[in-house]
Each structure stands twice: as C-alpha cells, then as structure tokens.
Amino acid sequence: MWITDNLNQDYKQQFSIKHKITEYKADNLHLELFSTETFGDIVLLNQKEILYKTEVEEEAQMLGFSAYSTHEDAKTALIYGSLNLELAYLLSKLGIKVDLVVNDLESLNVLSGFFPNFKAALSSENIKISTSFMALMGSKFDLIYHLGSLQANELSALTKMASQKSIFIYSLSTLPNLALLKANIAIATASFNILMPFCLPFSLSKKIYAYASNVYHPLASLQLQKSDMLEDASYYNSRLHESAFILPTHLKKLLKNLVKN
C-alpha cells in the first residue's frame, strides 16, 4: 500500500506502508497514523503534511533550543498551528510557561503513542493547552511559534501578543515550493528588523522556517553558555544551529530583498 505526500502540484513523494494504525476525522482535520517499512510511524495530516515519529523531537529541539539559546531570558511561549507536543515539552523543561493552542483536543489523544513524552507534557505544570487562540489575546509572550499556514491578519494579531523582546518563529514552506517560500517570507518583511530562514540539517523534513525578531539575531545573539549546556539536546548543538541558517546561493538570490539580517 502507498500514500502520497503532495508537496506541490509538480512534486509528489510516495511512502510504502505496512498498515494504517488509526484514523481520525473532524471538521477541518483528517489525521491518519501509519506504520511504514523505512521511516517507522508517520502521521499524514489532511492528506498533505507528513510528521515522522523519528523527527518530531528533532524539529522540537531546533525550534525550541534555537530560540531559547538566543533570547536572554525567555519566560513565556505561545505555540499555534502544530500538534507537535514535543516542542511544548522541551520548552517546559527549560522552565518556560507554554500556551499550546490545539483546536481539536481529541486529535492529541489519537497521537498519544506517537509523541515520546505525551504523558509528561500533559501533566506538566508549565504547559497549558487551549482550544481558542482568541482566549489568549491580551497576553504577552517572549517566544511565539506559528507552525501552520501564516496569514497576514494572524501576523498582525501575533505581533500585538509579542513582548518587547520577543522571537517569532513561523513555518515558511516545504521544499521545493520556492514560490510559497518567497511569498511567506514577504508577509513578515515589513514587521521585523531581523528575518532569516532556516531548516533542519540532516533531517528528512523539507520544511523551511523563519526566525524573526526586532532585538535578537539568530547567529549574533547565540549564547554558547546556553546552547552548549542543554541536557536534552540529542540533535541540536551550536554548530548545527549556525549551519541551519546557511542558504544555498540560488535561495540567497531569490530572497535577497526580503530577508533581513
């Protein structure tokens, strides 16, 4: 049996699977959990986005530790647009109070065996799960993550929720969709002094993210005394952090007037 990941209209990726473990459908969510021969368990979201069980922690470490290691004293974080509970868990272990917005709580329960630290995350005093983004309006956050498809009106709302020295990380696109990459960088160009894309080196994931801030620079602000002392960093390290922000020449040219570094 095969499943197909439609990265864009011109590029598809197929996976050979052993069997479907479970499936969950809601109004705006279609979640399927598969066991595969090569990649272990994977989740197919809305028949277009793939989550690898082997990589949810790598993504969480790069997104979480890259922000933590460049912010001088992050206390609060907001996570929106993702089911990756590992990100909330890693931030909570660093003493950061995390608000995780999940529109459909049942979808998390379906993935209880998929996330390595599911029970620990749900029992953490530092993690609060909300079903409403609007309920958090008026709060201020040091770290803000939008890991879905960012819209201009959402960016406006999120910037109002940012603390004075905040870091904003959001999802740009999945390679090789360069048109979407450029469009999503452009959304935030006017809103930040620093805006730089990055990826997950040595990862199956083709996802590209953006690091944005008016204060902190992902390379110049990197604090080695923090990045090199992380106990849970089985993937992340300071050299990997630095390499994540290196762009191929053709992408540097494509994004020349949009990236701010």
Side-chain angles (χ1 to χ4, degrees), residues 67-80:
Y68 169 78
S69 297
T70 50
H71 195 291
E72 59 185 353
D73 189 25
K75 300 293 188 183
T76 57
L78 170 65
I79 303 173
Y80 180 74

Side-chain angles (χ1 to χ4, degrees), residues 124-138:
S124 172
E125 295 181 353
N126 285 339
I127 299 176
K128 179 181 177 183
I129 299 177
S130 173
T131 57
S132 172
F133 171 77
M134 296 304 296
L136 298 174
M137 293 298 292

Side-chain angles (χ1 to χ4, degrees), residues 1 18 34-35 117-118 121 125 158 160 170 200 213 220 252 259:
M1 185 175 177
K18 292 191 292 187
F34 296 95
S35 174
N117 295 289
F118 181 84
E125 295 181 353
L158 289 169
K160 293 176 182 177
Y170 72 103
L200 276 64
S213 179
K252 289 180 66 174
V259 168

Side-chain angles (χ1 to χ4, degrees), residues 192-232:
F192 297 96
N193 296 328
I194 298 162
L195 177 61
M196 295 174 61
F198 67 99
C199 64
L200 276 64
F202 299 96
S203 170
L204 291 171
S205 173
K206 301 174 183 64
K207 296 178 182 178
I208 306 294
Y209 303 92
Y211 177 114
S213 179
N214 287 319
V215 176
Y216 298 106
H217 189 283
L219 301 179
S221 301
L222 180 61
Q223 302 171 57
L224 298 181
Q225 68 271 28
K226 295 177 75 171
S227 61
D228 288 342
M229 298 296 291
L230 292 163
E231 294 182 358
D232 295 314

Side-chain angles (χ1 to χ4, degrees), residues 150 170 172-173 177-189 254-255 258:
L150 179 66
Y170 72 103
L172 289 174
S173 72
N177 198 336
L178 300 186
L180 184 60
L181 170 64
K182 186 175 182 179
N184 284 338
I185 277 282
I187 288 177
T189 296
L254 178 71
L255 305 175
L258 300 173

Side-chain angles (χ1 to χ4, degrees), residues 41-58:
D41 291 351
I42 64 173
V43 174
L44 180 63
L45 294 174
N46 296 327
Q47 298 186 328
K48 63 180 181 180
E49 180 183 354
I50 297 285
L51 297 180
Y52 302 87
K53 185 172 183 176
T54 56
E55 292 201 342
V56 291
E57 189 169 357
E58 293 179 1

